[in-house]
């Protein structure tokens, strides 16, 4: 299982939440929506949004971790997959400062995300490169298939936006979770209700 994090494993977009804590919510959210819909380049949108945070206190990360809320069923999903022998990885275009705690809480085997530069307890407004983008998500899926001897047809991915398209192209089971139309078109399972109950 390769899972996206923002608005998938957790209920919100973590970078938007961080911006809101910093008093920059509306400006950053507008860029996020366009990037998720595939209207603008992910990397450019990431750099622009993080740049707005330059000079803000890195203590905002602690508040972000405290407010992150797992989506209903997310922890059960990972535990069930692991109980049945699956390897589970959280791979996000967000940031490792939040994927680490979320991965530990949910029980993922490991996590991968972008890294925001900090110095002297201040957010610098820059991101480590190369950026973890849609192609990197597909590369991690291929990497773990090779590492564990798993055929791509036996993999599952879950996500909600344009940044998940490449990993969808290589996975056997593709779950679009409350997703943008651009991703739903590539899914073979579509979940539209965050609180859907199934048997």
């Amino acid at each position: 299982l390769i899972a996206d994090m923002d608005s998938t494993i957790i209920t919100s977009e973590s970078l938007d939440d961080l911006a809101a804590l910093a008093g920059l919510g509306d400006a950053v959210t507008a860029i996020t929506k366009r990037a998720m819909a595939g209207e603008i380049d992910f990397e450019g949108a990431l750099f622009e949004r993080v740049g707005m945070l330059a000079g803000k206190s890195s203590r905002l990360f602690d508040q972000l971790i405290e407010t992150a809320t797992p989506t209903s069923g997310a922890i059960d999903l990972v535990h069930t997959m692991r109980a049945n022998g699956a390897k589970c990885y959280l791979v996000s275009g967000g940031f490792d400062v939040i994927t680490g705690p979320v991965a530990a809480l949910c029980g993922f085997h490991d996590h991968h995300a972008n890294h925001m530069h900090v110095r002297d307890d201040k957010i610098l407004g820059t991101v480590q490169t190369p950026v973890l983008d849609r192609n990197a998500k597909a590369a991690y899926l291929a990497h773990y298939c090779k590492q564990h001897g798993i055929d791509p047809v036996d993999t599952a991915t879950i996500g909600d936006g344009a940044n998940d398209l490449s990993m969808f192209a290589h996975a056997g089971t593709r779950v679009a979770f409350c997703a943008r139309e651009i991703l739903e078109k590539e899914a073979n399972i579509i979940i539209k209700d965050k609180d859907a109950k199934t048997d």
Side-chain angles (χ1 to χ4, degrees):
L1 171 68
I2 304 287
D4 176 45
M5 179 181 70
D6 292 317
S7 298
T8 304
I9 294 299
I10 62 173
T11 58
S12 58
E13 294 289 324
S14 56
L15 185 52
D16 289 359
D17 292 345
L18 185 63
L21 291 169
L24 300 165
D26 290 344
V28 169
T29 299
I31 299 170
T32 300
K33 287 180 178 177
R34 294 182 63 204
M36 293 296 292
E39 296 173 5
I40 54 176
D41 173 68
F42 174 81
E43 184 172 302
L46 188 71
F47 290 159
E48 184 177 357
R49 289 175 292 168
V50 172
M52 294 179 184
L53 294 167
K56 298 295 184 180
S57 172
S58 61
R59 287 192 293 272
L60 291 172
F61 294 150
D62 296 328
Q63 297 178 50
L64 178 66
I65 292 166
E66 289 175 6
T67 57
T69 304
T71 300
S72 176
I75 295 175
D76 288 340
L77 167 66
V78 178
H79 287 188
T80 300
M81 293 286 288
R82 289 191 61 153
N84 286 277
K87 302 294 185 181
C88 302
Y89 299 95
L90 187 64
V91 182
S92 172
F95 292 91
D96 52 11
V97 69
I98 184 70
T99 56
V102 169
L105 175 65
C106 294
F108 285 93
H109 286 93
D110 205 349
H111 67 100
H112 303 278
N114 288 302
H115 181 74
M116 201 180 302
H117 294 134
V118 173
R119 184 185 301 134
D120 299 327
D121 299 323
K122 297 292 184 183
I123 298 170
L124 298 183
T126 55
V127 179
Q128 182 173 306
T129 55
V131 165
L132 196 162
D133 58 9
R134 67 170 69 178
N135 293 324
K137 288 188 173 189
Y140 276 117
L141 187 148
H143 166 75
Y144 284 118
C145 281
K146 183 177 180 180
Q147 179 175 311
H148 299 299
I150 296 170
D151 191 310
V153 75
D154 295 322
T155 63
T157 60
I158 182 167
D160 72 316
N163 203 37
D164 301 310
L165 281 168
S166 290
M167 69 175 183
F168 265 46
H170 297 89
T173 301
R174 306 174 299 281
V175 183
F177 182 75
C178 299
R180 275 65 174 182
E181 183 179 358
I182 193 171
L183 194 67
E184 283 191 349
K185 290 178 179 178
E186 306 303 322
N188 50 24
I189 297 176
I190 297 173
I191 299 174
K192 291 183 174 290
D193 182 356
K194 287 188 176 183
D195 296 311
K197 300 293 189 295
T198 63
D199 295 327

